[in-house]
Amino acid sequence: MDSATTPPTNGRQPWEASYPAGLDWRTPIPEQPLHRLMEEACAAFPNSVCLDFYGKRITYRQTGGLIDRAARGLQDLGIATGGKVALLLPNCPYSVIAFHAILKAGGVVVNLNPLASIAELADQIEHSGTEVLITLDLVPFHAKLDALGWPGRLRTVVVARMADALPFPRNWAYRLLKRRDVARIPRDDRHVSFRRLLADRGAPRPVAVQPRADPAVLQYTGGTTGVPKGTVLTHAALYANTMQCRRWFTGAEPGRERVLAVLPFFHVFGMTGVMNFALALGAELILLPRVDVREILETIQRKRPTIFSGVPRLFQAIAAFPRLNRYDLSSLRLCVSGGDSLPPLLLERFQQRTGAYLAEGYGLTEASPVVTCNPFSGLNKPGSAGLPLPGTLVEIVSLDDRRTLLSQGRIGEVCVSGPQLMAGYWQDATATAQAMDGGHLHTGDIGFLDADGYLHIVDRLKDLIVTGGQHVYPRTVEAVIKQHPQVADAAAVGEPDPVRGQAIRAFVVPQPGSALSEAELRAFLAPRLSRVEQPQRIEFRTALPTSTIGKILKRALIPERPGDDDREVNRPADR
């Protein structure tokens, strides 16, 4: 019998009264190996389309067969229980097949960001103990691999051919027109083709998985110190979070949904909230390997997806796209936003211009990642991060005393308990103990629960500015700056000040063609911010540095800031 995790029963929680009809926050969540998602989908929807990549479509039965063959191929390469296999891939069929093949072989997925620096990749490959790496035969990937050398325990690179993933005749055109983009792969024992990995050697050897104890994914966070920090996510944690997301979508039609996959699968949001969520629904995954707004709109019109997850900057770009009304976006039933705060005005504008429902959620890598989300049926509160997912306990603790729980409406640090939490940080007991102090996850976010149980994120704890002994929330300053019609983007940070302790420095991106001056902006801010919230310095920029999924990287604006940690957070209020 499968074991299950039951939510705590210490009284009725405030959010339960706001839950969607028919959904019980306390229903136990099974503990299962993560690759069971694909097995269950293959059994239930064998003839339904699983993957669509530029028109090449393969069914769940076909995808399951490829996963089995790749799993056996990895086992024959020496991957056994706990063996680390890194993925250096964009969204494509190989990323889905390889991910679940690694798990079925008994291995652990190490997600690598193809846009990371060579130094970051080398650190993560060595720190994780990666033995095998799977990538594409594209020049940008192999230029990095050549520069990397063979760090740590890395002994084999499996190379997948992009042309093989494309439909006819696009695959032939790619071979003819994109020859310069294809890397020359050395003919040696260290390099293995993905075709060879798929050679039919029979079924993979069965592997016993202890879902609660065995890692499924080693997910590296956005480091700022140069020391990699790997989040250990077990099979049970990732399976639980996927099923929490699946249950949350109460109106889903299993086997009939189409999910547009633009968020990268190497990021925890895309991995759970798009890829595995879609598999749990038996949905068709429409794969796009890059973010291009025109291509996204054309794909929505042509492929008719019903579900689309993204980040606020992407929804902003879509809402602002010229002649958006020329595209038929009527197939979209649900859009989910994460990764940064979703301004209420953007939510309203996006819904008005597209007709699609947009819900904001909150999460972080250490929670696999989803913690809360606005309901898809019920009250969607603009500016809030929504309600805790089934089985998830959200508590607010004092900023002065990590053990004191605060009542509704009071602002403190957001703490999370639930079956989706990490097992810890890889080979970092000290950081694990700090994050899990008191038996729950300290998120490092400042927020509060309102009377209906909705979570509101005020700011990031480490971004809090203490100036002249008073607390200032950068998010408040940023929101007011963005109200100016000539401002496209803004970020507020604290920088050392010998008198105040910290001074507020604002980085502002004017709208294209704007002649906005500092004096004009200060005149606008004067009546809208308190004296202590007024920026001491304003610096105009043409753009702000962002992460892979579009979050502003404040550490890149003020890199010398003390106290930066290494967490990568998929949250409405992030640095």
Side-chain angles (χ1 to χ4, degrees), residues 259-334:
V259 176
L260 182 59
V262 177
L263 287 175
F265 295 159
F266 57 76
H267 190 277
V268 68
F269 186 5
M271 177 184 69
T272 295
V274 179
M275 179 177 70
N276 287 330
F277 169 67
L279 299 180
L281 280 174
E284 178 179 335
L285 266 169
I286 303 166
L287 305 169
L288 290 178
R290 61 180 182 174
V291 176
D292 180 290
V293 176
R294 186 181 300 276
E295 183 179 36
I296 290 169
L297 294 174
E298 291 173 350
T299 300
I300 294 173
Q301 179 169 272
R302 188 172 66 256
K303 300 289 186 178
R304 312 294 292 163
T306 57
I307 302 171
F308 174 38
S309 293
V311 296
R313 288 173 182 272
L314 178 54
F315 293 121
Q316 172 66 43
I318 290 173
F321 194 81
R323 296 183 293 278
L324 180 64
N325 57 359
R326 293 188 176 184
Y327 296 91
D328 180 4
L329 310 180
S330 61
S331 65
L332 291 176
R333 296 172 55 204
L334 170 67

Side-chain angles (χ1 to χ4, degrees), residues 34-35 37-38 41-42 49-53 58-60 62-64 66-68 70-71 74 87 89-104 109 111 134 136 160 165 194 198 259 261 263-266 270-271 274-280 283-288:
L34 184 56
H35 53 274
L37 289 172
M38 178 58 79
C42 289
V49 174
C50 178
L51 306 177
D52 182 330
F53 189 59
I58 58 176
T59 65
Y60 271 90
Q62 292 169 325
T63 306
L66 292 170
I67 288 171
D68 283 349
L74 287 169
L87 298 180
L89 295 166
N91 288 4
C92 64
Y94 298 117
S95 52
V96 180
I97 293 165
F99 182 96
H100 284 274
I102 293 165
L103 302 180
K104 202 158 192 177
V109 175
N111 277 323
I134 301 176
L136 284 177
F194 203 87
L198 294 177
V259 176
L263 287 175
F265 295 159
F266 57 76
M271 177 184 69
V274 179
M275 179 177 70
N276 287 330
F277 169 67
L279 299 180
E284 178 179 335
L285 266 169
I286 303 166
L287 305 169
L288 290 178

Side-chain angles (χ1 to χ4, degrees), residues 334-338 342 347 351 357-361 373-376 380:
L334 170 67
C335 297
V336 180
S337 177
L342 180 68
L347 185 152
Q351 292 189 146
Y357 185 90
L358 179 58
E360 182 175 2
C373 191
N374 273 276
F376 306 142
N380 183 0

Side-chain angles (χ1 to χ4, degrees), residues 12-29:
R12 187 169 174 81
Q13 302 300 334
W15 50 81
E16 292 187 69
S18 303
Y19 248 45
L23 185 61
D24 187 354
W25 176 75
R26 298 171 183 270
T27 302
I29 297 173

Side-chain angles (χ1 to χ4, degrees), residues 42-221:
C42 289
F45 309 104
N47 298 318
S48 296
V49 174
C50 178
L51 306 177
D52 182 330
F53 189 59
Y54 290 114
K56 185 169 185 177
R57 307 169 83 204
I58 58 176
T59 65
Y60 271 90
R61 177 186 284 116
Q62 292 169 325
T63 306
L66 292 170
I67 288 171
D68 283 349
R69 289 159 60 184
R72 178 57 186 267
L74 287 169
Q75 289 176 334
D76 289 349
L77 283 178
I79 294 300
T81 301
K84 310 299 192 303
V85 182
L87 298 180
L88 189 67
L89 295 166
N91 288 4
C92 64
Y94 298 117
S95 52
V96 180
I97 293 165
F99 182 96
H100 284 274
I102 293 165
L103 302 180
K104 202 158 192 177
V108 179
V109 175
V110 180
N111 277 323
L112 299 178
N113 182 350
L115 300 179
S117 69
I118 293 169
E120 287 175 317
L121 293 174
D123 282 343
Q124 292 171 15
I125 291 170
E126 184 167 1
H127 181 258
S128 64
T130 289
E131 302 171 43
V132 175
L133 185 147
I134 301 176
T135 190
L136 284 177
D137 65 340
L138 301 182
V139 169
F141 292 86
H142 280 273
K144 285 191 173 181
L145 290 178
D146 288 344
L148 278 173
W150 294 83
R153 300 173 60 188
L154 181 63
R155 53 181 168 77
T156 305
V157 172
V158 177
V159 183
R161 297 175 62 179
M162 175 60 87
D164 288 350
L166 297 170
F168 178 83
R170 190 168 186 151
N171 54 351
W172 284 98
Y174 185 88
R175 292 186 180 101
L176 291 173
L177 302 177
K178 298 289 185 178
R179 284 178 292 181
R180 293 183 179 179
D181 296 338
V182 178
R184 292 180 177 272
I185 309 303
R187 296 177 178 271
D188 57 33
D189 293 338
R190 288 185 159 191
H191 292 80
V192 175
S193 71
F194 203 87
R195 284 184 176 183
R196 178 178 157 191
L197 202 68
L198 294 177
D200 193 356
R201 304 178 182 87
R205 294 181 286 276
V207 176
V209 174
Q210 301 179 57
R212 187 180 294 186
D214 290 347
V217 173
L218 195 56
Q219 188 76 33
Y220 278 89
T221 58

Side-chain angles (χ1 to χ4, degrees), residues 442-458:
H442 289 262
T443 67
D445 285 314
I446 302 172
F448 66 93
L449 291 168
D450 68 19
D452 298 316
Y454 284 72
L455 177 64
H456 296 255
I457 300 297
V458 175

